[in-house]
C-alpha cells in the first residue's frame, strides 16, 4: 500500500515503522509543521490514509480524504459527536472509512470480555460497577475513546446502567451519581500509554478486569492491519468489524 499519515507525532512515527516493515510505503506525512502539504492532490498519491491527529482536526481530515476518494482509517478520538454526520457523508459519496477508539488486538479482546461480563452481572445486583482510565498527560480528550467504548459495552449489556458520567482528576466533581449512571474516572499520569480497568464492587469483594498497554506499538500495528483489511472495501466500518468474536 501507499499510505498517507495524518498526524506525524509519536504514534505516526511508530505506524510508519510497522508499515515499512510490512512492505508498505509512506508517501505523505502531515504534521503541524507542514499543513500546507495537506492537499487533495497529495492525498491522491496514497491508497489509504491513517489518521492519528487531534480531536479538532479529525473531521476536516476525514472530509478531505472523502474529497480525494481515499479510504481512511481513523484512530483519533474525541470527534464522535460528528459520527452520524460522517457516516452519512461516507455513504453519500461512496467513500470508505474505518474508525476505532483503540486498534490494539488485546483491547478488542477486552471489549468483548467486558460485554460478556456485564451481561453475566445482571444476575448479581449486589455489585456496582465503574470504569477507570489512565493515560499520559499529553492526551487531549477525557474520557478516552477506549473508556467510552468500555462504558457503552456495559450499558448495552447491564440492565441497571443507562448512561455514563466522567470525573477527570483535578476537575470539578460531578453531582452525586444516580443509580443508573456509570462512572468513568480519568487520570493523567506522565508516560502511561493507557490503562483501563472495570471494577464490580460489593460489600464482600471486588471483581476486576484490566488492560495495560506497555507501549503505543500495539495501537500502531493494529492501525496498519486495519488499513490492510480495508483494501478493496467500500463503506463505513468500525474496528469491531475486523474481529469475529462469538459469545
Amino acid at each position: 500500500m501507499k499510505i498517507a499519515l495524518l498526524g506525524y507525532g509519536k504514534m505516526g512515527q511508530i505506524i510508519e515503522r510497522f508499515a515499512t516493515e510490512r512492505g508498505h510505503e509512506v508517501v505523505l506525512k502531515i504534521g503541524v509543521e507542514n499543513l500546507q502539504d495537506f492537499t487533495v492532490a497529495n492525498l491522491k498519491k496514497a491508497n489509504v490514509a491513517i489518521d492519528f491527529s487531534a480531536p479538532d482536526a479529525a473531521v476536516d481530515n476525514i472530509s478531505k480524504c472523502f474529497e480525494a476518494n481515499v479510504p481512511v482509517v481513523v484512530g483519533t478520538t474525541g470527534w464522535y459527536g460528528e459520527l452520524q454526520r460522517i457516516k452519512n457523508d461516507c455513504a453519500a459519496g461512496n467513500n470508505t472509512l474505518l474508525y476505532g477508539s483503540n486498534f490494539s488486538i488485546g483491547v478488542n479482546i477486552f471489549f468483548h470480555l467486558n460485554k460478556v461480563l456485564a451481561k453475566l452481572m445482571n444476575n448479581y445486583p449486589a455489585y456496582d460497577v465503574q470504569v477507570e482510565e489512565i493515560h499520559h498527560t499529553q492526551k487531549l480528550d477525557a474520557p478516552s475513546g477506549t473508556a467510552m467504548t468500555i462504558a457503552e459495552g456495559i450499558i448495552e449489556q447491564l440492565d441497571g446502567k443507562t448512561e455514563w458520567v466522567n470525573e477527570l482528576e483535578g476537575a470539578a466533581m460531578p453531582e452525586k451519581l444516580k443509580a443508573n449512571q456509570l462512572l468513568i474516572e480519568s487520570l493523567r499520569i506522565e508516560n502511561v500509554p493507557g490503562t483501563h480497568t472495570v471494577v464490580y464492587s460489593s460489600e464482600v469483594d471486588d471483581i476486576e478486569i484490566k488492560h495495560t498497554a506497555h507501549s503505543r506499538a500495539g495501537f500502531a500495528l493494529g492501525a496498519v492491519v486495519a488499513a490492510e483489511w480495508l483494501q478493496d472495501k467500500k463503506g463505513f466500518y468500525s474496528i469491531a468489524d475486523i474481529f469475529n468474536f462469538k459469545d
Side-chain angles (χ1 to χ4, degrees):
M1 299 183 298
K2 294 185 177 183
I3 299 173
L5 292 179
L6 311 182
Y8 193 62
K10 293 178 181 178
M11 272 294 295
Q13 293 170 37
I14 302 171
I15 290 169
E16 181 180 29
R17 174 167 62 84
F18 278 113
T20 302
E21 288 175 357
R22 294 171 73 87
H24 308 304
E25 180 185 1
V26 175
V27 295
L28 182 64
K29 295 181 281 191
I30 299 297
V32 293
E33 71 288 342
N34 69 328
L35 292 175
Q36 71 278 1
D37 295 331
F38 186 33
T39 65
V40 170
N42 282 338
L43 267 175
K44 286 184 175 180
K45 298 174 184 176
N47 307 121
V48 64
I50 299 177
D51 182 283
F52 274 86
S53 55
D56 59 354
V59 171
D60 287 342
N61 291 354
I62 292 166
S63 296
K64 191 162 285 188
C65 290
F66 286 174
E67 185 179 353
N69 198 30
V70 172
V72 57
V73 173
V74 186
T76 308
T77 60
W79 60 275
Y80 293 162
E82 298 287 330
L83 191 64
Q84 187 58 53
R85 179 174 72 82
I86 292 297
K87 185 175 183 179
N88 294 342
D89 289 350
C90 185
N94 194 31
N95 291 117
T96 308
L97 181 148
L98 186 150
Y99 79 99
S101 61
N102 197 307
F103 284 85
S104 158
I105 293 171
V107 166
N108 281 277
I109 293 171
F110 185 91
F111 286 158
H112 180 69
L113 176 62
N114 172 59
K115 291 202 286 188
V116 171
L117 179 58
K119 185 175 182 179
L120 174 66
M121 295 307 290
N122 281 310
N123 298 317
Y124 305 99
Y127 290 85
D128 199 10
V129 60
Q130 74 175 51
V131 178
E132 179 188 86
E133 58 102 349
I134 307 172
H135 279 87
H136 50 87
T137 53
Q138 289 77 38
K139 185 163 181 61
L140 300 178
D141 54 320
S144 68
T146 301
M148 286 191 284
T149 301
I150 292 167
E152 288 160 2
I154 293 170
I155 290 166
E156 177 186 322
Q157 298 294 334
L158 189 64
D159 296 338
K161 300 296 182 184
T162 59
E163 63 179 7
W164 58 261
V165 295
N166 181 233
E167 175 191 327
L168 177 61
E169 185 182 40
M173 292 280 289
E175 296 180 2
K176 185 176 180 180
L177 286 180
K178 299 174 183 176
N180 68 308
Q181 292 179 320
L182 170 63
L183 177 65
I184 305 175
E185 287 191 317
S186 298
L187 294 86
R188 296 293 174 261
I189 300 173
E190 197 69 37
N191 298 320
V192 176
T195 301
H196 295 85
T197 308
V198 177
V199 182
Y200 288 85
S201 298
S202 75
E203 290 186 2
V204 297
D205 59 11
D206 292 348
I207 302 168
E208 179 177 302
I209 57 172
K210 181 176 184 179
H211 180 274
T212 303
H214 298 154
S215 72
R216 293 179 171 89
F219 314 144
L221 175 59
V224 176
V225 171
E228 293 169 348
W229 182 87
L230 202 58
Q231 295 302 291
D232 302 319
K233 291 182 174 65
K234 286 284 186 181
F236 190 87
Y237 302 94
S238 79
I239 186 65
D241 293 314
I242 295 179
F243 299 93
N244 189 28
F245 294 125
K246 303 295 183 182
D247 290 341

